[in-house]
Amino acid sequence: MEEKRKAEIVFRTDDVTKVYDTGEVKVYALAGVDLELFSGELTVLLGPSGSGKSTLLNILGGLDHATSGDVWFRDLELSKLNDRELTRYRRDNVGFVFQFYNLVPSLSARENVALVTDIAPDPMRPEDALSLVGLGHRLDHFPAEMSGGEQQRVAIARAIAKRPDVLLCDEPTGALDSKTGITVLQALKDINDQFGTTTAVITHNASIRKMAHRVIRFQDGRIGEVEVNDTRIDPKDIQW
Amino acid sequence: MRALDKKLLRDFRRLWAQGLSIALVLACGVAIVLISYGMYGALENTRSAYYERNRFADVFASATRAPRNLKDEIAGIEGVWAVELRTVKDAVLDLPNRVKTATGRIISLPANGAILNVPLVRSGRPPDPDASDEIMVNEPFALENDYQLGDIIQANLNGRKRPLTIVGTALSPEYIYTIGPGSLMPDNENFGILWMAENAAASAFDMSGAFNDVSLKLTRSADADEVVDRLDDILRPYGGTGAYGRDQQMSDAFIDSELLGLETMARILPPVFFGIAAFLVNMVIGRIVALERSQIGLMKALGYTNFTIAMHYIMLSALIAVIGVLIGWGLGTWAARGMALMYAEFFTFPYLIFSVSKFTYVLSGVLGLLSAALGAVFNAMKAARLAPAVAMSPPAPPNFRRGLFDRLFASMRLSQPTMMILRGIMRWPLRASLTSLGMALGVAVLVASSFFDDSMEEILDVAFFQSNRQDAILLLSGDQPLSVLEDIERLPGILRAEGQYSLPVRLTNGHLEKRVSIEASWPNADLSRVIDPDGKVIEAPAEGILLTKRLAGQLDVRPGEWIDVEFLTGRREEHHLVVSGIVTQYFGMGAYMDAEYAARLFRQSPRISAANVLVDENRIDELHQELKDTPNLAGLIMLTDTRQTFRDTIKENIVIQSVIYIAIAAMITIGVTYNSARIQLSERARELASLRILGFTNAEVSYILMGETLLLAIVAQPLGWAVGALLAWGMSFAFASDLYTIPVVLKNHTFGFASVVALVAAVGSVLVVRRRLDTLDLVSVMKTRE
């Protein structure tokens, strides 16, 4: 398993920097990051606010450009793509989960998922995606009729329904209490186990790290420490 | 400056584009108030000052030939303050360096100057009381024909051709709107007023010791109707054709109908603009209050009162209103002055008293401010009523639920983006309907304004190509036997001639009375016919008379009923006649009868007062040359020229008006669409950015953003057509006067054009908003909650 993952590198970054030039000072959000993410791997990115983890996730997800350095998704060089190509890339390969769910309030759970399945090349049925996150019985409910945890699980269903190669989650449990947070994490883990979707989860919550294959710690725009979990624990056993 | 005021100014700066688009709509309303009131005032004040200074008469009458010694008797009528006896006759003019004839109205000028209807000398001097060959002409006639003092024109006076020297030019309160006999529009090139010394005019027209025209000025307390009746009694034996007041004086009546038009404009248009502005303010402030929910909570937590918070948002709308009012004042002052000057040219005033009263400025300003405040007050109260704890917590997602339409949508298998658009409309039906209504009003303004264009075409077609198909009308001086047609047919170039007999009458039905002219024609007349709006030729019945619809309405008679007809010419007989039919006509308040029936009624051989002729174009110069020397001819109306003048005048006005109305419609549409799209963007920004992240292309999210607004714009089109048609009917009704009726002619291209303008403006505004999607910050959406 370990060997196979190494053989299939999904993301590779080479000395990536991201500089925000405010005119007076230059802020290095990323100050040279070399990173590889492997196929089927669930990675947790940890670090304090402003350490660069979100910036990196945005660049990997094709939402932002690096200031310098190369970013590869398989053999696709993301750093060379224009806006249209990045949209194509996101559409075909990436699933996003946001901290604040970002569901469309005027669409029901099923329809929110259908938003993505309508445009994806090889999607699953919205009903199946929602069943995967345990919401098979809430298909026709609108966001206003669901709890935060349910809304986030709809967001996950929406992200995975297109069978993405990678799933990028930015603080997916940030707005949730521990009990609902665990159901969301469980959903993420199930997807990862079942489909082998390469998953990166940003979190402030260090206890979540134990469910990951690897934990990458960020500090001041660099990778501080990489830790490999030999034994992963189930989300339900996580002490919040 | 308080922090809250700073916030106000910064909010306003941030919202400038939306604020400006609303301010412009408001400015239109304010400007139209200024323009209509300003022009109304200018027209009214100038007219009354002019009338006052030049002593415009109150009562007018004409007769065939009455002795001057009636003057004392007339002056003795109770309420008469001054009497002026004149000789007024139309004559054919032979102008230098010109083949075509023109018509001149000769007016006698008393030796010691006119007492009433005093001509205002513009250059030169009045004719010498003793000179028989001097004239003063009206200024527009001189300008149009490029006459200098000392120029000589020839006139056919009572069958004798005489050279007359122009010694001066003048303007008269009697001829502010100078309309020649048989004309519909001023034609200063072909119709002139010629003042001549009293003695000279009297001897030329065989009026020594006599007069054929009288004007009276009344005292303040006089009863005009009573004076008119008494004057009629006095003039009856001398061929009096019925006295009338200012309301039937041609020039004054035209100014009145213009004043009526301005009043209508002032009443219909400004409410539309103020209403739309209020709605837009409501929409924008509503959105701001929703966005600033947590700030409102914070302010409340800090101890700001509900009143302060409500006022904060009302002040924001007031700022928009102030900008709108200022723009409106500037625009209105400028346009009102410009249009008043145009008026001065159209109506020949010697001067123009133009001032927009302070009251009008205040009124329009207050109306502007009020409508904006009214638009803001609902949402300001909503902000004030928010409980602080509720306000500080994020709003719950808008509550969408399954509704009646969802099953329909589902069965239609609509895409999710389309569903989002439709649910947005269903979720806020009132807002959607008002937005659509606002856009519809833009369309309606265009439909209601451009229908005039087609109406004029219709009038032109009916009046000049179906009814009056003659090339020219020869006006005879006095009635002539029918046999004169044979002489006319012998004139060079005349291909065909038909007689027509105008009979001034007084129609009475009970206490209702109307003085009009009956046109009598022959059953087989082909050149001048009565046509109803369906294009059907109406033959005057063998017996009885036909009345126009408006006239019948004013006399309250229906077909089959009988009315009293007092003929004011010939033997002045009174007859009891049956109303044999009612016809719809666009011009005037005519009545028609069969000429042979009229002859039988009067027990005389048929007579005519004018001849309608067809002219061989190649011999037209020859004809004019001959007519200049023909006695018994009072005037010649070249309808071919009249048609052209009419068309030119209309076209010129319509081009200017179209530009104005297109601008107005565009402003309304832009105001509504731009704000609607901006609010869509503001409400959906997060949604749209999420979709971009999920892999939707720019075009796909643009569709969602533009879809709702453009869908509403499309729905607005038929609504706009309906409202526009309604407005057109209303305006046609409001504009109708005794002088003319404007038919409502709505053609497909009017609707099409209105919709094209509105949709172009709508798509343009939405595209401007759409450009913001290109710079949507995708990353921030990952983090922030709105």
Side-chain angles (χ1 to χ4, degrees):
Chain A
M1 179 76 180
E2 190 76 358
E3 291 306 310
K4 194 184 169 199
R5 276 213 312 270
K6 284 208 167 139
E8 272 192 62
I9 296 172
V10 178
F11 282 116
R12 183 163 61 79
T13 71
D14 190 5
D15 196 23
V16 164
T17 67
K18 179 71 187 178
V19 185
Y20 292 106
D21 195 343
T22 62
E24 290 168 21
V25 282
K26 288 186 172 171
V27 179
Y28 279 81
L30 293 178
V33 172
D34 299 305
L35 174 80
E36 289 173 334
L37 293 181
F38 305 103
S39 173
E41 187 182 42
L42 194 155
T43 317
V44 163
L45 308 183
L46 273 178
S49 291
S51 58
K53 53 192 193 308
S54 288
T55 308
L56 181 68
L57 199 76
N58 293 340
I59 291 171
L60 295 181
L63 296 176
D64 206 350
H65 280 284
T67 309
S68 69
D70 298 331
V71 183
W72 293 83
F73 168 74
R74 298 226 160 90
D75 43 11
L76 190 66
E77 190 173 358
L78 297 184
S79 35
K80 291 235 170 81
L81 299 185
N82 63 25
D83 185 63
R84 181 182 297 270
E85 291 160 336
L86 281 177
T87 300
R88 186 86 231 165
Y89 156 70
R90 289 200 300 270
R91 188 176 193 142
D92 294 346
N93 303 295
V94 190
F96 281 97
V97 179
F98 311 100
Q99 183 180 0
F100 293 113
Y101 338 132
N102 292 10
L103 298 183
V104 176
S106 62
L107 297 180
S108 66
R110 189 209 313 257
E111 290 160 351
N112 261 288
V113 178
L115 257 181
V116 170
T117 58
D118 285 350
I119 60 167
D122 175 32
M124 48 179 99
R125 290 172 57 228
E127 294 79 2
D128 296 342
L130 283 163
S131 294
L132 282 173
V133 295
L135 286 176
H137 60 295
R138 303 281 270 163
L139 293 176
D140 290 328
H141 287 74
F142 284 88
E145 299 166 320
M146 289 187 281
S147 71
E150 286 174 326
Q151 290 186 50
Q152 188 61 299
R153 280 187 285 155
V154 174
I156 293 172
R158 185 174 68 181
I160 57 153
K162 64 166 119 164
R163 306 182 202 277
D165 292 322
V166 295
L167 192 55
L168 304 178
C169 315
D170 195 346
E171 300 267 15
T173 59
L176 303 172
D177 60 67
S178 60
K179 192 160 161 279
T180 17
I182 284 167
T183 63
V184 167
L185 291 177
Q186 189 66 53
L188 286 176
K189 181 171 182 296
D190 291 348
I191 303 298
N192 177 253
D193 289 347
Q194 203 174 334
F195 298 102
T197 311
T198 308
T199 307
V201 180
I202 285 183
T203 182
H204 272 102
N205 189 336
S207 48
I208 292 175
R209 72 181 191 282
K210 291 176 189 156
M211 67 179 277
H213 294 109
R214 272 199 306 162
V215 181
I216 301 174
R217 288 179 189 274
F218 276 76
Q219 192 73 48
D220 300 329
R222 289 172 214 279
I223 292 174
E225 181 191 344
V226 180
E227 169 187 337
V228 179
N229 283 335
D230 293 332
T231 50
R232 298 162 62 200
I233 66 170
D234 218 48
K236 66 176 186 293
D237 299 327
I238 289 176
Q239 300 295 314
W240 209 265
Chain B
M1 192 186 277
R2 294 185 314 163
L4 202 57
D5 298 330
K6 271 190 197 151
K7 171 179 176 305
L8 186 70
L9 289 179
R10 285 191 191 141
D11 283 349
F12 184 69
R13 204 163 51 199
R14 192 165 47 83
L15 286 168
W16 72 268
Q18 280 171 279
L20 186 67
S21 67
I22 299 173
L24 283 176
V25 173
L26 203 66
C28 278
V30 170
I32 289 173
V33 170
L34 289 193
I35 292 170
S36 44
Y37 277 83
M39 286 172 63
Y40 191 95
L43 204 53
E44 175 96 331
N45 293 335
T46 308
R47 179 173 73 163
S48 67
Y50 191 19
Y51 282 0
E52 180 83 33
R53 288 179 209 171
N54 292 61
R55 296 195 291 278
F56 183 54
D58 294 312
V59 171
F60 309 82
S62 51
T64 314
R65 188 175 191 281
R68 290 195 83 89
N69 58 22
L70 288 179
K71 186 171 184 178
D72 289 344
E73 196 182 340
I74 295 172
I77 300 173
E78 195 186 330
V80 172
W81 182 78
V83 182
E84 180 102 288
L85 304 179
R86 302 185 297 186
T87 300
V88 176
K89 281 272 190 184
D90 288 350
V92 172
L93 304 180
D94 177 5
L95 304 178
N97 309 322
R98 198 177 113 150
V99 178
K100 268 167 44 181
T101 58
T103 307
R105 177 158 299 161
I106 314 270
I107 298 178
S108 69
L109 207 55
N112 18 4
I115 311 169
L116 300 181
N117 308 319
V118 182
L120 183 80
V121 178
R122 301 283 286 170
S123 69
R125 57 170 175 83
D128 187 296
D130 297 324
S132 62
D133 59 351
E134 287 184 358
I135 50 164
M136 180 164 75
V137 300
N138 65 324
E139 193 180 30
F141 179 65
L143 288 176
E144 200 67 44
N145 288 297
D146 202 17
Y147 291 142
Q148 310 298 325
L149 299 183
D151 283 355
I152 295 173
I153 61 177
Q154 307 278 336
N156 187 339
L157 304 179
N158 213 18
R160 257 197 316 264
K161 199 163 166 181
R162 293 258 297 273
L164 301 170
T165 309
I166 298 171
V167 296
T169 63
L171 289 174
S172 161
E174 233 180 328
Y175 294 99
I176 294 172
Y177 192 82
T178 318
I179 211 159
S183 254
L184 298 170
M185 292 235 161
D187 180 1
N188 291 316
E189 193 188 342
N190 296 306
F191 178 69
I193 309 295
L194 281 55
W195 285 274
M196 190 183 244
E198 193 169 70
N199 288 336
S203 59
F205 293 104
D206 192 19
M207 284 280 175
S208 298
F211 67 92
N212 70 348
D213 178 281
V214 55
S215 319
L216 306 180
K217 184 106 193 120
L218 307 184
T219 58
R220 254 172 226 288
S221 57
D223 177 354
D225 291 342
E226 187 63 37
V227 174
V228 164
D229 286 347
R230 293 287 318 281
L231 184 59
D232 276 347
D233 291 343
I234 296 172
L235 292 179
R236 186 160 295 129
Y238 307 100
T241 50
Y244 52 92
R246 279 185 183 177
D247 60 323
Q248 289 192 53
Q249 202 267 345
M250 208 38 128
S251 158
D252 193 68
F254 265 99
I255 299 172
D256 268 345
S257 85
E258 192 62 35
L259 286 172
L260 181 75
L262 287 173
E263 214 182 315
T264 310
M265 178 162 105
R267 232 176 303 144
I268 294 182
L269 285 180
V272 170
F273 290 98
F274 289 136
I276 294 174
F279 162 61
L280 293 179
V281 167
N282 172 49
M283 206 158 77
V284 169
I285 301 286
R287 181 59 195 157
I288 293 171
V289 168
L291 279 179
E292 295 188 346
R293 192 183 155 90
S294 59
Q295 297 176 33
I296 294 167
L298 179 78
M299 286 192 278
K300 290 197 167 184
L302 292 176
Y304 282 95
T305 63
N306 289 351
F307 178 76
T308 316
I309 290 170
M311 277 316 284
H312 176 67
Y313 292 104
I314 289 180
M315 285 305 288
L316 188 61
S317 75
L319 269 181
I320 293 174
V322 166
I323 305 268
V325 167
L326 289 177
I327 296 175
W329 279 351
L331 199 72
T333 308
W334 172 77
R337 186 176 294 274
M339 288 179 77
L341 284 172
M342 251 169 65
Y343 260 29
E345 219 161 285
F346 194 58
F347 298 108
T348 38
F349 287 112
Y351 43 80
L352 187 72
I353 302 172
F354 178 79
S355 74
V356 180
S357 69
K358 284 203 184 86
F359 171 77
T360 311
Y361 281 100
V362 172
L363 176 77
S364 59
V366 167
L367 283 175
L369 277 170
L370 265 183
S371 40
L374 213 66
V377 77
F378 174 73
N379 284 304
M381 304 260 285
K382 204 156 108 186
R385 275 201 299 264
L386 264 180
V390 176
M392 299 248 285
S393 65
N399 207 345
F400 286 91
R401 283 177 194 285
R402 297 235 135 217
L404 213 60
F405 289 96
D406 288 278
R407 214 164 300 153
L408 180 71
F409 295 163
S411 69
M412 291 165 73
R413 300 192 165 278
L414 300 173
S415 72
Q416 309 313 319
T418 306
M419 201 88 104
M420 288 167 70
I421 292 169
L422 294 177
R423 289 231 175 93
I425 293 175
M426 298 302 161
R427 178 70 181 78
W428 289 279
L430 183 68
R431 183 174 80 181
S433 342
L434 286 176
T435 305
S436 221
L437 182 66
M439 295 171 181
L441 286 174
V443 179
V445 163
L446 270 185
V447 170
S449 62
S450 50
F451 96 91
F452 272 113
D453 201 349
D454 292 325
S455 299
M456 288 300 162
E457 271 305 318
E458 167 83 8
I459 290 180
L460 201 66
D461 185 51
V462 170
F464 289 143
F465 293 100
Q466 295 185 44
S467 291
N468 297 302
R469 306 194 292 181
Q470 67 274 53
D471 294 330
I473 303 171
L474 301 179
L475 299 172
L476 308 175
S477 47
D479 300 348
Q480 313 265 335
L482 185 59
S483 59
V484 78
L485 277 183
E486 288 164 25
D487 299 335
I488 291 171
E489 271 176 339
R490 272 198 294 273
L491 288 169
I494 299 283
L495 299 173
R496 183 188 179 131
E498 290 176 2
Q500 186 153 338
Y501 194 20
S502 292
L503 298 156
V505 293
R506 194 196 318 273
L507 304 176
T508 319
N509 179 34
H511 67 287
L512 299 169
E513 189 185 288
K514 205 77 193 176
R515 188 183 153 276
V516 296
S517 184
I518 293 182
E519 295 299 326
S521 55
W522 274 262
N524 53 357
D526 194 44
L527 296 181
S528 177
R529 315 177 297 175
V530 184
I531 302 274
D532 74 1
D534 302 328
K536 218 172 72 203
V537 177
I538 308 261
E539 289 280 351
E543 298 211 328
I545 62 173
L546 282 179
L547 300 185
T548 50
K549 197 170 160 198
R550 194 174 171 82
L551 182 58
Q554 293 195 2
L555 289 168
D556 194 25
V557 289
R558 273 157 286 278
E561 295 181 353
W562 294 72
I563 55 168
D564 292 319
V565 181
E566 180 191 354
F567 289 90
L568 301 170
T569 52
R571 298 202 180 109
R572 309 190 61 91
E573 293 172 342
E574 278 191 44
H575 290 274
H576 199 55
L577 299 182
V578 67
V579 176
S580 47
I582 289 182
V583 288
T584 305
Q585 295 276 282
Y586 300 138
F587 280 111
M589 303 246 291
Y592 305 91
M593 71 195 296
D594 186 320
E596 284 170 5
Y597 172 62
R600 281 204 307 281
L601 214 54
F602 303 144
R603 301 168 305 282
Q604 65 181 16
S605 61
R607 301 182 72 80
I608 63 170
S609 56
N612 300 313
V613 296
L614 280 187
V615 182
D616 177 356
E617 243 178 90
N618 297 319
R619 298 183 66 188
I620 202 149
D621 292 355
E622 227 178 302
L623 174 67
H624 276 291
Q625 203 52 53
E626 185 73 24
L627 290 177
K628 287 171 181 173
D629 300 319
T630 304
N632 300 333
L633 193 62
L636 172 73
I637 303 161
M638 290 304 298
L639 275 163
T640 37
D641 292 350
T642 313
R643 289 180 186 116
Q644 199 50 48
T645 317
F646 193 83
R647 210 183 267 281
D648 290 348
T649 314
I650 296 290
K651 198 163 263 171
E652 195 180 324
N653 286 342
I654 280 179
V655 167
I656 297 173
Q657 274 183 15
S658 299
V659 170
I660 292 175
Y661 282 110
I662 289 173
I664 284 177
M667 238 178 290
I668 294 179
T669 311
I670 291 169
V672 176
T673 325
Y674 179 74
N675 279 292
S676 162
R678 278 298 298 269
I679 283 168
Q680 283 288 316
L681 177 65
S682 161
E683 284 175 355
R684 291 195 190 273
R686 189 175 168 76
E687 216 166 86
L688 299 180
S690 304
L691 295 182
R692 287 282 286 126
I693 293 170
L694 293 175
F696 276 68
T697 61
N698 228 329
E700 285 160 336
V701 295
S702 299
Y703 166 68
I704 298 170
L705 174 73
M706 298 167 66
E708 180 170 337
T709 308
L710 290 183
L711 183 62
L712 292 178
I714 289 167
V715 171
Q717 301 311 309
L719 188 63
W721 300 336
V723 176
L726 219 68
L727 272 180
W729 280 104
M731 278 161 78
S732 151
F733 186 74
F735 277 123
S737 68
D738 288 1
L739 296 173
Y740 51 84
T741 314
I742 297 167
V744 176
V745 180
L746 292 166
K747 298 209 169 144
N748 287 342
H749 68 79
T750 302
F751 296 120
F753 176 72
S755 286
V756 166
V757 171
L759 288 176
V760 165
V763 170
S765 334
V766 173
L767 282 177
V768 168
V769 177
R770 197 217 63 84
R771 282 178 47 188
R772 288 168 182 259
L773 281 184
D774 299 341
T775 54
L776 207 58
D777 185 358
L778 302 187
V779 171
S780 69
V781 171
M782 303 278 286
K783 287 288 175 200
T784 53
R785 181 190 277 279
E786 69 173 23

